[in-house]
Each structure stands twice: as structure tokens, then as C-alpha cells.
Amino acid sequence: MRTLNYRRNIVGKAFIVLIISCLLLIPGYTLADTPNNSFNTTPLKPAYIDSLDDLVDVQVAHRLAPFHPLPPRTSNVDIVELLQQLNESLIQGYLANLTSFGPRLTGTEACNQSAHYLYEAFQDMGLAVRYHNYTDSTVSGSNVEATLYGSDSSNIFIICGHYDSVAAGPGADDDGSGVAAVLAAAEIMRNYEFYYTVRFVCFSGEEQGLIGSRHYAEDAYNSNDSIIAVLNADMIGFAPSASDGIKGKIFENDASEWIVEFTQDISQLYADYINIELFPQGQSGGSDHYYFWQFGYDAVFYHEYNFNDYYHSANDTIGNMNLTYSTRFTRLILATLAEMALQPRPVLEISSITGGLGITSQVTNVGEVNASSVNITISVTGGLLGLLDVSSTNGIDVLPPQNSLQSKAKLFRIGNIQIGVTAGASNADQVTKHATGFLLGPYVLKLVITP
Ligand SMILES: [Zn+2]
């Protein structure tokens, strides 16, 4: 009995030890498996809200169109020239100017002075600049936006950071580092011509719940702005050790995955100037990219690997930053932005819809580069109980500029019909056109394109 009891105890104890070991080991394994090895992690939420639940819930459809999977170009002459101009003293100068106003809590005089400084800095660069004012129940303020127009101004890329800080400190890293990146990118890019328009945007109201960027994204959405990518830099200058100085975080949603890949390609392509490996983190509600997601735009959030020990304190100073790291991280964002803005995209146009024997429609690539995986679909509806419903699709792998692809739908009945033609490509916006007609046997008569 005794022996048996003893053995039972041994087994019981061994079992308990095993359970405890598992409990200890499982989180240990999880930690080792994730790129983040710091317990002090990321800005989970803006400073002055209680939880992410306090952020406004927006329900709009993703824009769908701007998927942009082009690899970085192989010609890198211009980009290297840009990167060579981005050095520590440029970053340090902007940080010194920005922190000279003291804490930049939104609504305070120091914050307004900072906005004025940014406005004048952009103006001195020769860029089109404006205040984007917002009024909100929580806080009111101004974002500062500068624009570098591209030869195709219908598509827009954004680099952004927030210039407001918490009341407790000078916000050198949070987010002077991001604003310095925006200013440095503007200062360098302004001397070059880009294919697409680039906006350099500094938000306020971030710490109160992403207020400035929410209004900005909402206004962009309501204006139907075609923003292809938003690159948000928030806290990219803290790296106390050498190993922290070669790593960075990037937060993304599924739709923005392509920006992560694009940035990683850039990081390798210009490794000599950048030398930062990026670790994707998934979604975050902790910074200004968030409402771009909410309004259906693609956006990412760049962030230091080792979270700042002096976050939201009086010690978030330039002295506690790693300017070499900040400079390299800024180069990564600059090169990504510049490469994206230099990439021309194909543009599809439905050039004709004609009747006669069946319906024939044609899509033309009116852009400057090849369109990939192009398809055109003609859908016909009409007749009693949809008796006339029919659709016809044609596709092609590559459609060069100024070339067309045709699709033909054949029918045989009588009645009024509605026609919808849709064309898409993996690297271009989808386009749609509608028409009406009358079907008499195999012939489509009175075909009229709907304006
Ligand atoms: Zn921040």
C-alpha cells in the first residue's frame, strides 16, 4: 500500500511538474517564435483614449482597385542618389526644430507653432501646402499637407507621421522621428519628377484617438481620392543596441500585404544604405494608418523594433534616440515611396460596345506599361425571368500599351436587354460601362451606351 501510495504520489508529482513545465514552455516557445522579444512592445492605442473600442467604427468597402504588385525596378540610379542625400544631420535638424517648441499637445500654442513651422518648411521647399483643418467633439486642430504633383496626378501616394505629442514630453521619437522622415522625404524628392503625385502629411490629434488622420481619410474618401498607398512612420528612432538597429516592424492588413513585400524588396535592393530587416506584425490600431484602412485604403505602419523605453515621458528626447537607425529607417521609407511613385501603371479603358450580330466590346490599355492578366466580361440581362441572361469573358496574359482586347457575346431571342461590360487586370483599376439595346433574333439593335 505504502509503496503503491508512494508510487502514485511520484506519478502525481511528475504529472504536476509536467503540466507546470508545459505552462512555462508554451509561452516561452511562443515568445521565441515571434520576432518581438521585448515585453515592452508597441503603442497599442493612442494616449488619451481608454481602449481601442473608443475608436470610431467606419463601414465602407475596400477600394479594391489599387493592387500594385509590381516589383521594384532594377534601374536604381535615381534612388541611390536620393538615399545619399539623406543623412543624420538632416534628420537631426528637423528633430531639433520640432522639439524646440516643447510638448506639442493638440490644441496648445506649441502645437500650433509646430504646424506653422511645418507649413513654412514645406512652402520653402516650393511645394503646394495647405492646412487641413478638422473640428471634432474630442479635439480640433490642423493637419499640414504638402503636395508634389506627378505627371499623372490622378493617383496619390502618401507618407505621413503625427506632429502632436503627449503633454508629458517633447515627443522626439513619438513622433518627431516620423515627421522628420516626412520632411526629409519632401526635401529630397522635390527636386525630382515622379510619375504619380506624392503627398507629405503631418497629422495632429493622434494622441487623442487618431482624430486628425480620421478626418483626413474621411475627407479623402468623400472626395474619391485615389490613394494607392499610405506609408505611416510612427516611432522609428529608438534602438539602444546594435541588434535593434538592424530590425524594424511593419504593421499591415491583408489588403496592404503588397506594400510589405514591396518594402522588403526595397530593403534588399538598397541594403548598403538601409540595412534594416522588416518583421511584419499584422494589424494595429495604434497609429494614423488605421483610419486609412477603415476608409478602404491600403496603408502600413512602420515602427521601431525595440519599443521606446521613454515612451510618453519627458525623456523621449533626441539624446535617447539612435539617429543612425532613424536615418536608415527613413531611407527605407523614402526609397519605397520614390520607387512606387516612379512606377507607371497600365490604365484600362472600355473603348467600344457595339451591336449587330451579337455584342462586341473592346478594352484598350491607354497607359504606358503592360497590363497583366487582363480580362473583359460582357454581361447581358433582360427578358422575362431573366431569360436573356448571358455572359461572355475573354482574357489575355499581357496587354501592351495602346493594344486592345475584344470580347463577343452571342444571343438569340427577342426583347429589351441591359448590357454591362467590365474589364480588369492584376495591376490596373477595374473599369465598367453600361448600355441598353433591343434583341431581335441574333441581332442587337438600338444599342445605346449609358452615360
Ligand atoms: Zn505616435
Side-chain angles (χ1 to χ4, degrees):
M1 287 293 282
R2 191 171 265 228
T3 313
L4 195 63
N5 262 343
Y6 179 63
R7 282 181 65 185
R8 206 181 266 160
N9 279 344
I10 289 267
V11 171
K13 276 179 187 162
F15 186 68
I16 288 165
V17 167
L18 183 73
I19 293 290
I20 291 172
S21 306
C22 285
L23 287 174
L24 288 173
L25 276 172
I26 288 165
Y29 173 76
T30 310
L31 274 179
D33 196 41
T34 50
N36 170 31
N37 57 9
S38 161
F39 287 99
N40 188 5
T41 54
T42 59
L44 294 173
K45 63 171 185 64
Y48 299 109
I49 60 172
D50 291 334
S51 89
L52 285 178
D53 295 339
D54 294 344
L55 293 174
V56 177
D57 192 26
V58 181
Q59 304 280 344
V60 306
H62 182 256
R63 278 176 48 84
L64 279 181
F67 195 77
H68 196 270
L70 296 173
R73 296 176 315 146
T74 43
S75 148
N76 55 13
V77 178
D78 286 343
I79 303 298
V80 166
E81 200 179 293
L82 298 185
L83 294 177
Q84 285 171 337
Q85 295 170 59
L86 213 168
N87 53 45
E88 279 180 42
S89 65
L90 187 65
I91 297 293
Q92 177 150 32
Y94 290 135
L95 284 171
N97 291 343
L98 204 61
T99 51
S100 70
F101 300 106
R104 305 176 299 279
L105 185 72
T106 305
T108 63
E109 187 54 29
C111 188
N112 296 342
Q113 286 171 346
S114 309
H116 189 239
Y117 157 71
L118 292 168
Y119 188 101
E120 291 204 320
F122 286 133
Q123 202 170 43
D124 290 348
M125 295 176 193
L127 298 170
V129 52
R130 69 167 179 133
Y131 288 114
H132 172 262
N133 302 316
Y134 60 90
T135 309
D136 195 273
S137 57
T138 313
V139 71
S140 297
S142 303
N143 303 314
V144 186
E145 174 206 76
T147 303
L148 177 63
Y149 289 101
S151 49
D152 171 357
S153 58
S154 60
N155 289 304
I156 299 157
F157 289 86
I158 289 180
I159 178 174
C160 58
H162 70 90
Y163 72 90
D164 66 312
S165 74
V166 292
D173 187 32
D174 182 13
D175 179 29
S177 63
V179 173
V182 174
L183 286 166
E187 167 64 23
I188 293 167
M189 289 176 76
R190 71 187 176 102
N191 294 315
Y192 299 84
E193 278 182 23
F194 291 88
Y195 192 80
Y196 294 119
T197 288
V198 178
R199 287 193 198 153
F200 307 88
V201 189
C202 304
F203 296 116
S204 65
E206 196 269 357
E207 301 290 5
Q208 282 73 19
L210 321 174
I211 310 290
S213 54
R214 168 158 64 83
H215 285 273
Y216 186 92
E218 184 175 14
D219 287 352
Y221 174 80
N222 288 333
S223 308
N224 208 19
D225 286 356
S226 177
I227 299 168
I228 298 181
V230 176
L231 311 183
N232 175 42
D234 193 356
M235 302 176 70
I236 56 166
F238 187 75
S241 78
S243 67
D244 297 326
I246 54 170
K247 288 180 282 193
K249 290 180 177 175
I250 182 167
F251 294 84
E252 78 290 347
N253 62 2
D254 288 349
S256 308
E257 202 67 57
W258 68 270
I259 308 178
V260 175
E261 286 165 26
F262 200 107
T263 310
Q264 284 171 327
D265 286 349
I266 291 291
S267 172
Q268 290 190 353
L269 200 54
Y270 305 109
D272 291 352
Y273 299 89
I274 294 167
N275 194 28
I276 289 179
E277 188 184 354
L278 271 190
F279 294 89
Q281 306 286 313
Q283 302 202 23
S284 157
S287 190
D288 290 314
H289 60 285
Y290 177 78
Y291 278 109
F292 287 97
W293 288 347
Q294 294 291 297
F295 282 98
Y297 294 111
D298 294 352
V300 293
F301 162 27
Y302 298 102
H303 189 68
E304 59 215 9
Y305 190 78
N306 186 331
F307 191 63
N308 198 318
D309 294 339
Y310 309 101
Y311 180 54
H312 290 174
S313 81
N315 291 322
D316 180 6
T317 57
I318 303 173
N320 282 326
M321 285 175 63
N322 178 338
L323 291 184
T324 307
Y325 179 64
S326 202
T327 301
R328 286 177 169 270
F329 216 144
T330 304
R331 283 187 190 148
L332 174 60
I333 302 167
L334 168 68
T336 302
L337 177 67
E339 285 276 18
M340 283 180 175
L342 280 170
Q343 305 261 3
R345 297 173 76 214
V347 179
L348 300 181
E349 193 177 278
I350 293 165
S351 34
S352 72
I353 308 175
T354 52
L357 193 58
I359 300 159
T360 309
S361 184
Q362 192 164 281
V363 58
T364 305
N365 177 4
V366 297
E368 295 178 22
V369 291
N370 288 346
S372 307
S373 306
V374 181
N375 59 72
I376 175 168
T377 301
I378 302 173
S379 306
V380 177
T381 56
L384 194 62
L385 301 172
L387 261 171
L388 302 180
D389 289 5
V390 62
S391 95
S392 163
T393 300
N394 192 15
I396 191 171
D397 286 345
V398 176
L399 186 64
Q402 308 315 317
N403 280 244
S404 298
L405 171 70
Q406 197 171 285
S407 181
K408 195 172 176 81
K410 291 177 186 165
L411 324 92
F412 189 92
R413 285 184 196 270
I414 293 179
N416 287 312
I417 51 172
Q418 290 81 48
I419 302 157
V421 179
T422 301
S426 65
N427 57 346
D429 290 358
Q430 192 177 72
V431 287
T432 304
K433 247 185 191 175
H434 296 279
T436 57
F438 185 78
L439 187 59
L440 184 65
Y443 289 97
V444 177
L445 311 171
K446 296 200 294 184
L447 191 143
V448 178
I449 292 176
T450 316

